[in-house]
Amino acid sequence: MRRYICLMISVGFLLSSCQKLEDEYRHDTETVDNWSAVADTASDALIASFWNEEGYFNYGSDESDMGFQYWPNAHAMDVVIDAYERTGDSKYLAYFDPWYEGIFVKNGNTYLNPFYDDMQWIALTMLRMYEVTNQQKYLNTVLFLWDDIIDGWEESFADGGISWVKNQRYSKNACSNGPASLLATRLYHLTQDQVYLDWAIKIYEWQKNTLYNRSSGAVYDNINGNTGEISTVALTYNQGTFLGTAVNLYLITGERLYLNDAQKIANFTVSKCIDASTNLLRNEGIGDNALFKGIFVRYFLYLLDVDDLDQAYRNKFENFLTHNATELWLKGRNIQGNLFGPAWDQIALGNAQLTAQASACMTIEAKARFIKR
């Protein structure tokens, strides 16, 4: 992620936002009758307002910013995949090949990137495209990117981990390790090749030992390998990818420890990465940061799909998802263009950023899938 902005969280905020496990987030939230129709509206608005016929998503709605940003494009395309998987409507498939070709050109006629996390997100999206279409070119690109991504692992700084950016090997970030281990679990699931599972566990264990608070469930942002200094900021983005990996490792291995990790990570997020007055995932800012919440929700849904999820957690987590998605749709939408901003209880004014729109659409698609399952 090219412009990674860390938000400092005050002690007062952390204390005020602590919730009990039994808290089921019962607010006076209105209800939404048809989440599939809502998801159609939101996701179609993303395409209508951001799609560029050159084969990528513009950064601003309605041509307000026609710039190209690599990693947000992966998440916008994930929304298109979500919509296709939910509806089976072939109109969404029409965007797959143009996007595959378009981002290659816009990225300088290559899929490689100086930032390891950017490539990880592109690979995760293309893996989904392969799973949907069975087109080998998508998987070939995933494997090509994987080979470059894994070169980011080195042990001369912080005893391991994948660097954030190629020219700063000392910077080991949650944003470049969470998606990498997540990708490894997905590749193992597809291929049953032990090497991917070994990498998934290796990266996960390094992150757990280095950038994770085992008592609270907080995922820390990064460690400076030169100084050993750890940034203890906990962002929804990093909570989500570490959570998703924990769930996948539980499903692969059956080891309860991973499910316990996942429950703790999720509980920390819905208890402390929120606005305590609304019980909504907090506004983490514009730009890259506006994507973070939707990423968490995508992998939060992984946990809700686990049959063995403890019932007390299930009650709390399901109500949290419903409350956030409902408030987002009813209070955070600009009805003129069905656009969204970074605050889910405030109407987006004017043009929207791709990051905020994709984050909102991922959340609404998650809720629609949860209802449909």
Side-chain angles (χ1 to χ4, degrees):
M1 186 169 41
R2 186 167 299 149
R3 295 145 305 282
Y4 198 73
I5 306 170
C6 294
L7 299 182
M8 299 306 296
I9 308 168
S10 69
V11 173
F13 173 82
L14 290 175
L15 292 175
S16 67
S17 59
C18 184
Q19 304 292 330
K20 295 179 180 179
L21 178 59
E22 292 78 11
D23 181 359
E24 296 184 359
Y25 297 94
R26 296 189 181 279
H27 286 255
D28 295 328
T29 304
E30 299 178 56
T31 59
V32 174
D33 293 329
N34 189 334
W35 277 106
S36 186
V38 167
D40 287 344
T41 300
S43 297
D44 287 351
L46 183 151
I47 295 170
S49 294
F50 292 89
W51 179 251
N52 189 305
E53 290 303 322
E54 292 184 19
Y56 67 97
F57 294 93
N58 294 325
Y59 196 68
S61 62
D62 302 317
E63 300 186 353
S64 60
D65 184 343
M66 298 181 69
F68 170 77
Q69 301 292 343
Y70 198 46
W71 86 283
N73 256 265
H75 296 283
M77 193 62 201
D78 267 331
V79 172
V80 177
I81 300 169
D82 290 339
Y84 175 72
E85 290 184 330
R86 176 176 51 82
T87 66
D89 193 328
S90 61
K91 72 178 183 180
Y92 297 112
L93 283 176
Y95 295 95
F96 282 35
D97 278 351
W99 182 83
Y100 176 78
E101 296 165 3
I103 63 165
F104 178 83
V105 173
K106 296 299 291 187
N107 191 52
N109 292 317
T110 181
Y111 291 112
L112 298 177
N113 193 275
F115 290 82
Y116 287 107
D117 58 326
D118 286 32
M119 293 189 292
Q120 290 158 15
W121 287 118
I122 295 295
L124 282 162
T125 300
M126 288 193 183
L127 185 55
R128 294 187 69 201
M129 292 166 66
Y130 170 75
E131 291 169 341
V132 166
T133 67
N134 205 35
Q135 289 193 41
Q136 189 64 36
K137 65 182 180 182
Y138 300 142
L139 181 57
N140 289 345
T141 304
V142 173
L143 298 177
F144 169 73
L145 288 170
W146 170 259
D147 287 342
D148 197 66
I149 288 165
I150 214 61
D151 280 343
W153 175 278
E154 58 80 51
E155 300 179 359
S156 57
F157 297 102
D159 298 321
I162 293 177
S163 302
W164 172 41
V165 58
K166 293 177 179 178
N167 65 357
Q168 296 178 16
R169 303 286 283 182
Y170 62 86
S171 183
K172 306 294 183 68
N173 295 46
C175 72
S176 54
N177 284 275
S181 55
L182 188 58
L183 177 60
T185 62
R186 297 283 306 283
L187 285 170
Y188 174 77
H189 177 75
L190 177 68
T191 68
Q192 296 298 297
D193 188 333
Q194 183 67 33
V195 70
Y196 295 120
L197 180 56
D198 291 343
W199 269 114
I201 294 172
K202 184 176 182 178
I203 298 168
Y204 182 86
E205 289 301 320
W206 176 87
Q207 187 171 354
K208 185 172 181 178
N209 291 329
T210 311
L211 296 176
Y212 179 62
N213 186 320
R214 293 170 184 252
S215 62
S216 71
V219 179
Y220 296 152
D221 186 70
N222 70 83
I223 181 171
N224 183 322
N226 281 327
T227 66
E229 181 180 0
I230 294 176
S231 170
T232 59
V233 171
L235 299 169
T236 53
Y237 167 100
N238 296 324
Q239 297 289 133
T241 57
F242 200 55
L243 166 63
T245 303
V247 172
N248 282 353
L249 287 174
Y250 171 66
L251 295 175
I252 291 168
T253 68
E255 294 185 20
R256 182 78 190 189
L257 177 63
Y258 293 120
L259 180 57
N260 293 341
D261 285 348
Q263 291 176 159
K264 184 172 290 186
I265 296 160
N267 193 56
F268 175 90
T269 312
V270 306
S271 300
K272 296 195 174 183
C273 297
I274 62 170
D275 179 337
S277 66
T278 62
N279 278 327
L280 296 176
L281 290 169
R282 65 174 183 260
N283 179 356
E284 291 177 296
I286 62 173
D288 283 353
N289 292 53
L291 246 174
F292 293 176
K293 293 183 290 188
I295 292 170
F296 167 74
V297 172
R298 177 174 299 284
Y299 299 109
F300 185 52
L301 194 62
Y302 277 30
L303 182 58
L304 293 181
D305 283 338
V306 173
D307 292 337
D308 297 336
L309 177 62
D310 288 348
Q311 191 59 46
Y313 282 119
R314 180 172 297 283
N315 293 341
K316 179 174 184 177
F317 294 166
E318 290 183 1
N319 282 315
F320 184 82
L321 173 62
T322 298
H323 175 63
N324 273 257
T326 303
E327 293 289 279
L328 166 64
W329 177 247
L330 296 178
K331 295 182 179 179
R333 175 175 59 115
N334 182 332
I335 60 174
Q336 280 71 38
N338 294 305
L339 299 176
F340 301 88
W344 286 358
D345 60 347
Q346 298 176 26
I347 294 176
L349 300 176
N351 293 305
Q353 290 183 316
L354 180 63
T355 48
Q357 186 75 14
S359 180
C361 289
M362 283 191 281
T363 299
I364 291 168
E365 285 284 355
K367 177 58 182 174
R369 177 190 156 195
F370 185 71
I371 291 295
K372 187 177 179 180
R373 68 175 189 168

